[in-house]
Amino acid sequence: MTRTAVVNDYQHPQPGASSTLTLDERVSQEILKNGITRPKGYTVSYHSNPGVEKMHFGPKHPMKPWRLTLTNKIVLAYGMHEAMDVYVPRAATFLEMTEYHKEDYVQFLSWVTPKIKLDMETSNVIPYNMGDDCPVFDGLYDYCSLYSGASLDAARKLTNNQSDIAINWSGGLHHAKKAEASGFCYINDIVLAILQLLLYHPRVLYIDLDVHHGDGVEQAFWSTDRVMTLSLHKFDKATFFPGTGGSDDTGPKNSANPGAHHSLNVPLHDGIDDESYFQLFKDVVGPCISTYQPTAIVIQCGGDSLGGDRLGCFNINIRAHGACVDYTKKLGLPLLVLGGGGYTPRNVARLWAHETSVCLGTDLHPSLPAHTPFIEHFAPDKSLYPELSQTGRYDNKNSGKYLRDIVTSIREQLRYVQGSPSVQLQYLPPDLGAVRDEVEREIQEEREAKDLGRRRKERGAGTRGEYAH
C-alpha cells in the first residue's frame, strides 16, 4: 500500500515569511539598516488599540478602519516600535465622552443597533444625523470609545510629562458635533483631548491637514481664546463637504467675544502641489506661533489631502505632507499627532508610517521590508514613497497670487490677537484625570476581587484526607 501523508506540511500564514525567530531577525536588520534608535532628548509614545481595526462601516463605505492594520504592520516591519513607548489604551468611559458631547447623544450611541436604526427608518425618524455617511454598525459604541480613549491617553502622557510627542492614528475625527454625528465621525476625540490639555496648558494650537475643513473642532472652541484653530483644506461652499471654512470664517463677529479672530482658515482650490503646500504651511503656521505663543500643539494628519485619494483633490506626495509634521515637531512644543481622513488605505498607511518616522527623526529606506504583512497590497512598486501626485492628477487652480493673498489675510487676522491671552479669568474644564483615576480604581478593585475568588477556589480545590473514607 502506498503511504500517504496524514498531516500536510505546515504553511506559514504570511507568504514569503518563515519562523517567528527569523522574522525577529529581519526586523532587527531593518532597525540597523534604517538607523532606528530612541530619540535623544525627547520621548515618543504610540497609542494603538487593535479593537478599532476590526470595525467595519459597510462594504461600500469609504471609511476603512483596516487602514490602521496596514499602518501598524509597516511600523512594526521597520522596527519603529523599538524606538517608542507603545501603549494599548483603555476605552473612554461614558463620563469622559460626555465632557463635551450631550449625554442623550452618547447614550443613543451606546444602545443603537443596525436593527433599531432600520425600525427608525421605517418610521422616518433618524436622530443625530445618522445615515449613509454615518451608518450604524455593530460595535459602534465600542469603536467610538476605543479611538477616543486612545486620544485621551495620548493627551495625558503629554500632560504627565511621560511623552513629548504622542501619536494616535485612530483618532482625528474632526467633524463630530456636540450632539450629532457628521462626516464619518461620531465622537470628537480631538475636542476631548484638547480639553485634557487645557487643564495644564494655557493655550493650544490646533492644526488640521485634512482635505476637509475641521469644522467640528472649530465649532467646539468658537468662543474661547485658549484654543486657536488653523485648518488647511479644499473649500467649495456649494459642492465640497462640509462647505465651511472660508477665509472670512475667523470666529465670532463680535470683537468682544474672546474667540474672535482665533479660528483661522486656509481655503484651497483643487490641485495644490508639494512645493506650494509646504511653503504655504510655513507661511501661516510661523506667524501663528510667534503671535499666539501656544504651549502645546495638536495636529490632525488626514491622509485624504494626498494625491490619488478616493475623496481628495490635491496633488500632494507623502514626503511633502510629512514635511509639515516635521516643521511642527521642530517647534519643540508638546505635540499630539492624530490621524483623520484618508480613503485609499494603502497610501494612508504609507503616510502615517512615514510620519511616525518623522516623529522619531528617522529616514526610512523607500522599499518596504520584504517581511511586511500584506505587502501585496502595496504592489506593484512596494514602495513607501510612490509618486502620488501623478495619480488622477488635478490641475493646480491655486495661483501664486491667490496663495499670497491667503497669507496676507491670515497675518491680518493675527493683528487682532493681542499677544498670548491670559487664562486667569478663563473657565477651566473639569479634570478628566479624576474620572480616569476613579475608573482605574474600579478596574483595580474588580481585579482584586477576581484574584481573591480565585485564591479561595484554589484553597478549596482539595483538602487533606478527603478521599480517605
Side-chain angles (χ1 to χ4, degrees):
M1 179 180 292
T2 304
R3 184 175 180 180
T4 58
V6 177
V7 180
N8 292 327
D9 290 338
Y10 170 74
Q11 297 293 324
H12 195 280
Q14 176 60 39
S18 53
S19 68
T20 303
L21 179 60
T22 304
L23 178 60
D24 289 343
E25 290 175 346
R26 291 184 179 185
V27 171
S28 297
Q29 290 175 354
E30 285 294 329
I31 291 173
L32 293 173
K33 177 181 175 181
N34 292 280
I36 296 173
T37 59
R38 293 187 74 87
K40 294 181 180 179
Y42 66 96
T43 301
V44 179
S45 59
Y46 194 83
H47 306 259
S48 174
N49 194 312
V52 181
E53 304 168 23
K54 304 173 185 177
M55 300 302 174
H56 189 52
F57 279 59
K60 296 182 180 179
H61 199 286
M63 175 64 93
K64 307 293 184 186
W66 188 65
R67 63 196 179 147
L68 298 167
T69 301
L70 294 178
T71 303
N72 292 332
K73 296 302 183 185
I74 298 177
V75 169
L76 293 170
Y78 276 107
M80 286 186 276
H81 58 290
E82 295 288 348
M84 303 182 285
D85 295 337
V86 180
Y87 297 93
V88 179
R90 65 167 175 80
T93 66
F94 180 89
L95 288 176
E96 286 172 327
M97 289 188 283
T98 54
E99 286 296 335
Y100 171 61
H101 291 282
K102 290 280 191 179
E103 286 192 16
D104 59 335
Y105 171 55
V106 180
Q107 191 71 47
F108 171 81
L109 293 177
S110 71
W111 58 257
V112 71
T113 64
K115 184 181 183 305
I116 292 174
K117 181 177 178 292
L118 187 61
D119 294 339
M120 290 178 173
E121 289 175 345
T122 303
S123 59
N124 294 319
V125 179
I126 308 175
Y128 306 114
N129 200 33
M130 308 298 280
D132 292 338
D133 278 359
C134 300
V136 174
F137 54 87
D138 290 325
L140 173 59
Y141 184 77
D142 290 340
Y143 170 70
C144 296
S145 59
L146 287 172
Y147 75 72
S148 299
S151 291
L152 282 170
D153 186 54
R156 289 178 186 129
K157 292 299 185 291
L158 294 175
T159 58
N160 293 338
N161 296 317
Q162 293 176 264
S163 180
D164 299 291
I165 301 175
I167 303 169
N168 170 29
W169 294 127
S170 69
L173 278 74
H174 58 169
H175 293 306
K177 307 303 191 297
K178 189 178 183 71
E180 69 175 25
S182 178
F184 314 161
C185 306
Y186 302 87
I187 292 293
N188 200 314
D189 64 289
I190 305 171
V191 173
L192 297 178
I194 291 176
L195 288 175
Q196 182 68 26
L197 292 173
L198 288 175
L199 297 173
Y200 300 88
H201 292 279
R203 295 171 301 282
V204 174
L205 172 63
Y206 171 68
I207 304 172
D208 195 309
L209 301 182
D210 201 281
V211 77
H212 300 95
H213 177 226
D215 57 334
V217 183
E218 179 183 272
Q219 186 180 104
F221 298 109
W222 185 255
S223 296
T224 180
D225 58 3
R226 295 194 57 204
V227 178
M228 176 174 282
T229 61
L230 173 65
S231 179
L232 296 82
H233 52 269
K234 152 83 176 191
F235 176 70
D236 188 318
K237 191 170 185 178
T239 64
F240 198 79
F241 181 86
T244 56
S247 56
D248 57 345
D249 293 333
T250 60
K253 301 303 180 184
N254 185 349
S255 59
N257 190 306
H261 309 293
H262 284 74
S263 298
L264 304 180
N265 287 294
V266 179
L268 298 170
H269 304 312
D270 291 351
I272 191 165
D273 56 27
D274 291 353
E275 184 178 356
S276 299
Y277 189 82
F278 183 48
Q279 186 61 53
L280 177 65
F281 181 85
K282 292 187 292 183
D283 289 345
V284 296
V285 172
C288 288
I289 295 294
S290 58
T291 300
Y292 187 61
Q293 298 178 33
T295 55
I297 299 175
V298 178
I299 185 166
Q300 194 262 26
C301 304
D304 48 7
S305 47
L306 291 176
D309 187 80
R310 181 176 173 183
L311 300 183
C313 52
F314 290 168
N315 298 323
I316 300 173
N317 284 296
I318 288 170
R319 283 193 173 97
H321 200 287
C324 298
V325 177
D326 189 47
Y327 179 90
T328 307
K329 167 201 162 188
K330 289 177 178 176
L331 295 171
L333 297 170
L335 178 61
L336 175 58
V337 182
L338 301 173
Y343 307 101
T344 305
R346 61 184 180 276
N347 293 337
V348 176
R350 286 165 161 142
L351 173 70
W352 291 345
H354 168 66
E355 291 180 340
T356 301
S357 76
V358 166
C359 293
L360 295 172
T362 298
D363 292 325
L364 298 177
H365 191 278
S367 296
L368 290 171
H371 55 269
T372 304
F374 313 114
I375 195 169
E376 293 304 321
H377 285 270
F378 304 95
D381 57 302
K382 299 179 183 178
S383 168
L384 188 62
Y385 304 112
E387 184 61 38
L388 300 179
S389 62
Q390 301 302 320
T391 305
R393 185 176 178 84
Y394 287 79
D395 291 336
N396 189 350
K397 298 180 180 178
N398 301 274
S399 67
K401 180 181 183 305
Y402 178 73
L403 297 178
R404 289 192 296 273
D405 288 345
I406 288 177
V407 175
T408 300
S409 174
I410 293 292
R411 291 180 175 175
E412 182 66 23
Q413 292 302 322
L414 289 172
R415 290 181 54 218
Y416 293 96
V417 178
Q418 302 298 320
S420 54
S422 168
V423 300
Q424 294 179 357
L425 300 179
Q426 293 290 324
Y427 166 73
L428 281 172
D431 190 356
L432 293 180
V435 177
R436 174 200 62 195
D437 293 341
E438 180 181 351
V439 170
E440 291 180 349
R441 187 165 53 250
E442 291 175 356
I443 293 173
Q444 183 62 28
E445 289 174 355
E446 289 178 4
R447 287 175 179 168
E448 291 174 354
K450 289 180 180 178
D451 288 344
L452 179 60
R454 176 179 56 79
R455 287 195 296 270
R456 285 175 176 171
K457 290 179 181 178
E458 289 174 350
R459 285 198 299 268
T463 56
R464 183 176 300 172
E466 64 178 316
Y467 296 117
H469 302 288

